[in-house]
Amino acid sequence: TAEDKSKDSDLLNAIIGRLSDGIFRRYKSYTNCSTLWDSLLKDYDSKNALTESYLQRQLHTMRCFDVTKVNSHLDSMIEIRDSLETRGIKITNDIFKNTIISSIPDVFKPTINTLIVVSAKTEEDLTPQELIATIQAEATGYIKKEGKKEQANYASNDRGRG
C-alpha cells in the first residue's frame, strides 16, 4: 500500500541519514529498506575476519590492574570468548584459563597457585568457571576489606582542629 511504501521510505531515509559520508555514497541508490538492510548486514556483519582477529587480540591482551574492577574485567573476557565461539572460533579451556591468569592483578596469584596445586593433586581439571568464581569471591572479599579500612581511616581522621 501507499502507506507501507511511505513508512519504508521514511525508514530508509532514517537509516541512510545515519551513515557516514563514505558509506552513504555506497548505499544512496537503494530504494527499499529490506535490500539496504540485507546489504548492510552482508557488508558489515561482525562475522568478518577483521572483527574476529580484533576480538582474539583484545581477549589475549586484556589487563586489569585494579582489584575493584576485576569482576567487570572477567565479565568482559567471558563476553569476548562467547562472541568468538558464536563466530566458530574455539578458545580452549586451558588457553582461556591462562589468558585469565595473565590478565589479573598479582594479588590473586597465591590463590590461583593453590587452585592449580590442588587441581594437580586431585587430578581434576580446573575449569574456567571455577577459576573465575574463585577470583570473583576473593575480589569481593578484598573490596569489603578495603572498604572497612577506608571507614576506619575516615573515623580516625574525624577530629576537630584543636
PDB file of all heavy atoms in Angstrom, residues 81-105:
ATOM      1  N   ARG A  81      34.947 -14.175  24.727  1.00  0.00           N
ATOM      2  CA  ARG A  81      35.090 -15.598  24.403  1.00  0.00           C
ATOM      3  C   ARG A  81      33.800 -16.139  23.789  1.00  0.00           C
ATOM      4  O   ARG A  81      33.828 -16.852  22.782  1.00  0.00           O
ATOM      5  CB  ARG A  81      35.448 -16.408  25.644  1.00  0.00           C
ATOM      6  CG  ARG A  81      35.683 -17.880  25.308  1.00  0.00           C
ATOM      7  CD  ARG A  81      35.837 -18.717  26.543  1.00  0.00           C
ATOM      8  NE  ARG A  81      36.315 -20.057  26.189  1.00  0.00           N
ATOM      9  CZ  ARG A  81      36.236 -21.084  26.994  1.00  0.00           C
ATOM     10  NH1 ARG A  81      35.734 -20.962  28.207  1.00  0.00           N
ATOM     11  NH2 ARG A  81      36.679 -22.259  26.617  1.00  0.00           N
ATOM     12  N   ASP A  82      32.663 -15.792  24.388  1.00  0.00           N
ATOM     13  CA  ASP A  82      31.373 -16.239  23.856  1.00  0.00           C
ATOM     14  C   ASP A  82      31.145 -15.705  22.445  1.00  0.00           C
ATOM     15  O   ASP A  82      30.662 -16.422  21.564  1.00  0.00           O
ATOM     16  CB  ASP A  82      30.225 -15.801  24.767  1.00  0.00           C
ATOM     17  CG  ASP A  82      30.213 -16.541  26.098  1.00  0.00           C
ATOM     18  OD1 ASP A  82      30.919 -17.563  26.230  1.00  0.00           O
ATOM     19  OD2 ASP A  82      29.495 -16.081  27.011  1.00  0.00           O
ATOM     20  N   SER A  83      31.519 -14.454  22.224  1.00  0.00           N
ATOM     21  CA  SER A  83      31.359 -13.852  20.903  1.00  0.00           C
ATOM     22  C   SER A  83      32.220 -14.579  19.865  1.00  0.00           C
ATOM     23  O   SER A  83      31.775 -14.836  18.746  1.00  0.00           O
ATOM     24  CB  SER A  83      31.734 -12.375  20.973  1.00  0.00           C
ATOM     25  OG  SER A  83      31.558 -11.755  19.738  1.00  0.00           O
ATOM     26  N   LEU A  84      33.439 -14.913  20.250  1.00  0.00           N
ATOM     27  CA  LEU A  84      34.307 -15.667  19.342  1.00  0.00           C
ATOM     28  C   LEU A  84      33.722 -17.047  19.047  1.00  0.00           C
ATOM     29  O   LEU A  84      33.763 -17.506  17.903  1.00  0.00           O
ATOM     30  CB  LEU A  84      35.712 -15.789  19.933  1.00  0.00           C
ATOM     31  CG  LEU A  84      36.563 -14.528  19.870  1.00  0.00           C
ATOM     32  CD1 LEU A  84      37.783 -14.657  20.782  1.00  0.00           C
ATOM     33  CD2 LEU A  84      36.988 -14.226  18.448  1.00  0.00           C
ATOM     34  N   GLU A  85      33.187 -17.689  20.065  1.00  0.00           N
ATOM     35  CA  GLU A  85      32.628 -19.026  19.853  1.00  0.00           C
ATOM     36  C   GLU A  85      31.404 -18.995  18.952  1.00  0.00           C
ATOM     37  O   GLU A  85      31.200 -19.913  18.166  1.00  0.00           O
ATOM     38  CB  GLU A  85      32.335 -19.705  21.189  1.00  0.00           C
ATOM     39  CG  GLU A  85      33.622 -20.127  21.869  1.00  0.00           C
ATOM     40  CD  GLU A  85      33.443 -21.085  23.029  1.00  0.00           C
ATOM     41  OE1 GLU A  85      32.297 -21.434  23.377  1.00  0.00           O
ATOM     42  OE2 GLU A  85      34.478 -21.490  23.583  1.00  0.00           O
ATOM     43  N   THR A  86      30.591 -17.933  19.017  1.00  0.00           N
ATOM     44  CA  THR A  86      29.442 -17.843  18.104  1.00  0.00           C
ATOM     45  C   THR A  86      29.918 -17.628  16.676  1.00  0.00           C
ATOM     46  O   THR A  86      29.181 -17.895  15.738  1.00  0.00           O
ATOM     47  CB  THR A  86      28.476 -16.698  18.493  1.00  0.00           C
ATOM     48  OG1 THR A  86      29.161 -15.457  18.446  1.00  0.00           O
ATOM     49  CG2 THR A  86      27.874 -16.925  19.850  1.00  0.00           C
ATOM     50  N   ARG A  87      31.142 -17.169  16.513  1.00  0.00           N
ATOM     51  CA  ARG A  87      31.734 -16.994  15.182  1.00  0.00           C
ATOM     52  C   ARG A  87      32.516 -18.228  14.740  1.00  0.00           C
ATOM     53  O   ARG A  87      33.183 -18.216  13.731  1.00  0.00           O
ATOM     54  CB  ARG A  87      32.645 -15.768  15.183  1.00  0.00           C
ATOM     55  CG  ARG A  87      31.897 -14.470  15.287  1.00  0.00           C
ATOM     56  CD  ARG A  87      32.844 -13.322  15.607  1.00  0.00           C
ATOM     57  NE  ARG A  87      32.182 -12.049  15.515  1.00  0.00           N
ATOM     58  CZ  ARG A  87      31.333 -11.567  16.417  1.00  0.00           C
ATOM     59  NH1 ARG A  87      31.043 -12.265  17.490  1.00  0.00           N
ATOM     60  NH2 ARG A  87      30.774 -10.388  16.261  1.00  0.00           N
ATOM     61  N   GLY A  88      32.473 -19.271  15.552  1.00  0.00           N
ATOM     62  CA  GLY A  88      33.133 -20.517  15.178  1.00  0.00           C
ATOM     63  C   GLY A  88      34.588 -20.594  15.596  1.00  0.00           C
ATOM     64  O   GLY A  88      35.312 -21.488  15.169  1.00  0.00           O
ATOM     65  N   ILE A  89      35.056 -19.673  16.426  1.00  0.00           N
ATOM     66  CA  ILE A  89      36.441 -19.691  16.892  1.00  0.00           C
ATOM     67  C   ILE A  89      36.449 -20.209  18.318  1.00  0.00           C
ATOM     68  O   ILE A  89      35.930 -19.574  19.230  1.00  0.00           O
ATOM     69  CB  ILE A  89      37.067 -18.285  16.819  1.00  0.00           C
ATOM     70  CG1 ILE A  89      37.096 -17.825  15.374  1.00  0.00           C
ATOM     71  CG2 ILE A  89      38.465 -18.291  17.429  1.00  0.00           C
ATOM     72  CD1 ILE A  89      37.509 -16.397  15.197  1.00  0.00           C
ATOM     73  N   LYS A  90      37.022 -21.380  18.497  1.00  0.00           N
ATOM     74  CA  LYS A  90      37.032 -22.028  19.808  1.00  0.00           C
ATOM     75  C   LYS A  90      38.288 -21.629  20.572  1.00  0.00           C
ATOM     76  O   LYS A  90      39.393 -21.780  20.073  1.00  0.00           O
ATOM     77  CB  LYS A  90      36.989 -23.544  19.627  1.00  0.00           C
ATOM     78  CG  LYS A  90      37.048 -24.323  20.906  1.00  0.00           C
ATOM     79  CD  LYS A  90      35.711 -24.953  21.207  1.00  0.00           C
ATOM     80  CE  LYS A  90      35.777 -25.897  22.372  1.00  0.00           C
ATOM     81  NZ  LYS A  90      35.468 -25.266  23.629  1.00  0.00           N
ATOM     82  N   ILE A  91      38.083 -21.096  21.762  1.00  0.00           N
ATOM     83  CA  ILE A  91      39.184 -20.819  22.681  1.00  0.00           C
ATOM     84  C   ILE A  91      39.134 -21.945  23.715  1.00  0.00           C
ATOM     85  O   ILE A  91      38.165 -22.058  24.462  1.00  0.00           O
ATOM     86  CB  ILE A  91      39.015 -19.445  23.382  1.00  0.00           C
ATOM     87  CG1 ILE A  91      38.840 -18.311  22.370  1.00  0.00           C
ATOM     88  CG2 ILE A  91      40.163 -19.174  24.329  1.00  0.00           C
ATOM     89  CD1 ILE A  91      40.017 -18.053  21.483  1.00  0.00           C
ATOM     90  N   THR A  92      40.160 -22.779  23.739  1.00  0.00           N
ATOM     91  CA  THR A  92      40.144 -23.930  24.647  1.00  0.00           C
ATOM     92  C   THR A  92      40.136 -23.455  26.098  1.00  0.00           C
ATOM     93  O   THR A  92      40.562 -22.335  26.407  1.00  0.00           O
ATOM     94  CB  THR A  92      41.360 -24.843  24.436  1.00  0.00           C
ATOM     95  OG1 THR A  92      42.544 -24.126  24.804  1.00  0.00           O
ATOM     96  CG2 THR A  92      41.452 -25.340  22.993  1.00  0.00           C
ATOM     97  N   ASN A  93      39.683 -24.336  26.982  1.00  0.00           N
ATOM     98  CA  ASN A  93      39.652 -24.003  28.405  1.00  0.00           C
ATOM     99  C   ASN A  93      41.038 -23.671  28.937  1.00  0.00           C
ATOM    100  O   ASN A  93      41.195 -22.738  29.726  1.00  0.00           O
ATOM    101  CB  ASN A  93      39.026 -25.140  29.217  1.00  0.00           C
ATOM    102  CG  ASN A  93      37.523 -25.173  29.082  1.00  0.00           C
ATOM    103  OD1 ASN A  93      36.898 -24.208  28.646  1.00  0.00           O
ATOM    104  ND2 ASN A  93      36.927 -26.285  29.461  1.00  0.00           N
ATOM    105  N   ASP A  94      42.049 -24.439  28.520  1.00  0.00           N
ATOM    106  CA  ASP A  94      43.413 -24.178  29.004  1.00  0.00           C
ATOM    107  C   ASP A  94      43.907 -22.805  28.557  1.00  0.00           C
ATOM    108  O   ASP A  94      44.504 -22.069  29.344  1.00  0.00           O
ATOM    109  CB  ASP A  94      44.379 -25.266  28.524  1.00  0.00           C
ATOM    110  CG  ASP A  94      44.198 -26.574  29.280  1.00  0.00           C
ATOM    111  OD1 ASP A  94      43.639 -26.543  30.406  1.00  0.00           O
ATOM    112  OD2 ASP A  94      44.613 -27.620  28.755  1.00  0.00           O
ATOM    113  N   ILE A  95      43.670 -22.472  27.307  1.00  0.00           N
ATOM    114  CA  ILE A  95      44.102 -21.157  26.813  1.00  0.00           C
ATOM    115  C   ILE A  95      43.330 -20.048  27.524  1.00  0.00           C
ATOM    116  O   ILE A  95      43.905 -19.035  27.930  1.00  0.00           O
ATOM    117  CB  ILE A  95      43.947 -21.064  25.283  1.00  0.00           C
ATOM    118  CG1 ILE A  95      44.981 -21.959  24.608  1.00  0.00           C
ATOM    119  CG2 ILE A  95      44.083 -19.620  24.801  1.00  0.00           C
ATOM    120  CD1 ILE A  95      44.833 -22.066  23.111  1.00  0.00           C
ATOM    121  N   PHE A  96      42.033 -20.249  27.722  1.00  0.00           N
ATOM    122  CA  PHE A  96      41.224 -19.235  28.396  1.00  0.00           C
ATOM    123  C   PHE A  96      41.677 -19.052  29.841  1.00  0.00           C
ATOM    124  O   PHE A  96      41.797 -17.925  30.327  1.00  0.00           O
ATOM    125  CB  PHE A  96      39.745 -19.604  28.309  1.00  0.00           C
ATOM    126  CG  PHE A  96      38.812 -18.510  28.731  1.00  0.00           C
ATOM    127  CD1 PHE A  96      38.928 -17.230  28.202  1.00  0.00           C
ATOM    128  CD2 PHE A  96      37.804 -18.755  29.635  1.00  0.00           C
ATOM    129  CE1 PHE A  96      38.061 -16.211  28.580  1.00  0.00           C
ATOM    130  CE2 PHE A  96      36.927 -17.744  30.022  1.00  0.00           C
ATOM    131  CZ  PHE A  96      37.059 -16.469  29.494  1.00  0.00           C
ATOM    132  N   LYS A  97      41.953 -20.154  30.544  1.00  0.00           N
ATOM    133  CA  LYS A  97      42.447 -20.051  31.921  1.00  0.00           C
ATOM    134  C   LYS A  97      43.772 -19.294  31.968  1.00  0.00           C
ATOM    135  O   LYS A  97      43.957 -18.417  32.808  1.00  0.00           O
ATOM    136  CB  LYS A  97      42.621 -21.443  32.541  1.00  0.00           C
ATOM    137  CG  LYS A  97      41.329 -22.144  32.870  1.00  0.00           C
ATOM    138  CD  LYS A  97      41.552 -23.471  33.594  1.00  0.00           C
ATOM    139  CE  LYS A  97      42.377 -24.422  32.794  1.00  0.00           C
ATOM    140  NZ  LYS A  97      42.476 -25.767  33.346  1.00  0.00           N
ATOM    141  N   ASN A  98      44.691 -19.635  31.064  1.00  0.00           N
ATOM    142  CA  ASN A  98      45.981 -18.942  31.044  1.00  0.00           C
ATOM    143  C   ASN A  98      45.817 -17.460  30.722  1.00  0.00           C
ATOM    144  O   ASN A  98      46.522 -16.611  31.275  1.00  0.00           O
ATOM    145  CB  ASN A  98      46.927 -19.601  30.041  1.00  0.00           C
ATOM    146  CG  ASN A  98      47.389 -20.964  30.498  1.00  0.00           C
ATOM    147  OD1 ASN A  98      47.412 -21.255  31.690  1.00  0.00           O
ATOM    148  ND2 ASN A  98      47.739 -21.816  29.557  1.00  0.00           N
ATOM    149  N   THR A  99      44.898 -17.155  29.841  1.00  0.00           N
ATOM    150  CA  THR A  99      44.632 -15.758  29.485  1.00  0.00           C
ATOM    151  C   THR A  99      44.085 -15.004  30.692  1.00  0.00           C
ATOM    152  O   THR A  99      44.491 -13.875  30.967  1.00  0.00           O
ATOM    153  CB  THR A  99      43.652 -15.685  28.297  1.00  0.00           C
ATOM    154  OG1 THR A  99      44.208 -16.416  27.197  1.00  0.00           O
ATOM    155  CG2 THR A  99      43.400 -14.259  27.872  1.00  0.00           C
ATOM    156  N   ILE A 100      43.187 -15.630  31.422  1.00  0.00           N
ATOM    157  CA  ILE A 100      42.637 -15.010  32.632  1.00  0.00           C
ATOM    158  C   ILE A 100      43.745 -14.771  33.653  1.00  0.00           C
ATOM    159  O   ILE A 100      43.887 -13.672  34.191  1.00  0.00           O
ATOM    160  CB  ILE A 100      41.521 -15.893  33.248  1.00  0.00           C
ATOM    161  CG1 ILE A 100      40.296 -15.913  32.345  1.00  0.00           C
ATOM    162  CG2 ILE A 100      41.166 -15.418  34.656  1.00  0.00           C
ATOM    163  CD1 ILE A 100      39.258 -16.967  32.730  1.00  0.00           C
ATOM    164  N   ILE A 101      44.517 -15.808  33.920  1.00  0.00           N
ATOM    165  CA  ILE A 101      45.573 -15.728  34.932  1.00  0.00           C
ATOM    166  C   ILE A 101      46.567 -14.618  34.602  1.00  0.00           C
ATOM    167  O   ILE A 101      46.988 -13.865  35.485  1.00  0.00           O
ATOM    168  CB  ILE A 101      46.281 -17.093  35.093  1.00  0.00           C
ATOM    169  CG1 ILE A 101      45.312 -18.098  35.725  1.00  0.00           C
ATOM    170  CG2 ILE A 101      47.551 -16.965  35.923  1.00  0.00           C
ATOM    171  CD1 ILE A 101      45.777 -19.548  35.659  1.00  0.00           C
ATOM    172  N   SER A 102      46.912 -14.491  33.338  1.00  0.00           N
ATOM    173  CA  SER A 102      47.897 -13.467  32.963  1.00  0.00           C
ATOM    174  C   SER A 102      47.317 -12.060  32.922  1.00  0.00           C
ATOM    175  O   SER A 102      48.055 -11.092  32.819  1.00  0.00           O
ATOM    176  CB  SER A 102      48.522 -13.810  31.607  1.00  0.00           C
ATOM    177  OG  SER A 102      47.557 -13.703  30.588  1.00  0.00           O
ATOM    178  N   SER A 103      45.994 -11.940  33.047  1.00  0.00           N
ATOM    179  CA  SER A 103      45.377 -10.626  32.885  1.00  0.00           C
ATOM    180  C   SER A 103      44.949  -9.956  34.188  1.00  0.00           C
ATOM    181  O   SER A 103      44.512  -8.817  34.173  1.00  0.00           O
ATOM    182  CB  SER A 103      44.148 -10.756  31.973  1.00  0.00           C
ATOM    183  OG  SER A 103      43.083 -11.366  32.666  1.00  0.00           O
ATOM    184  N   ILE A 104      45.050 -10.655  35.301  1.00  0.00           N
ATOM    185  CA  ILE A 104      44.522 -10.108  36.551  1.00  0.00           C
ATOM    186  C   ILE A 104      45.648  -9.627  37.471  1.00  0.00           C
ATOM    187  O   ILE A 104      46.803 -10.004  37.293  1.00  0.00           O
ATOM    188  CB  ILE A 104      43.636 -11.143  37.274  1.00  0.00           C
ATOM    189  CG1 ILE A 104      44.430 -12.399  37.574  1.00  0.00           C
ATOM    190  CG2 ILE A 104      42.395 -11.448  36.463  1.00  0.00           C
ATOM    191  CD1 ILE A 104      43.705 -13.401  38.422  1.00  0.00           C
ATOM    192  N   PRO A 105      45.303  -8.804  38.468  1.00  0.00           N
ATOM    193  CA  PRO A 105      46.331  -8.294  39.388  1.00  0.00           C
ATOM    194  C   PRO A 105      47.044  -9.415  40.139  1.00  0.00           C
ATOM    195  O   PRO A 105      46.472 -10.479  40.408  1.00  0.00           O
ATOM    196  CB  PRO A 105      45.526  -7.421  40.364  1.00  0.00           C
ATOM    197  CG  PRO A 105      44.287  -7.051  39.635  1.00  0.00           C
ATOM    198  CD  PRO A 105      43.979  -8.217  38.736  1.00  0.00           C
TER     199      PRO A 105
END
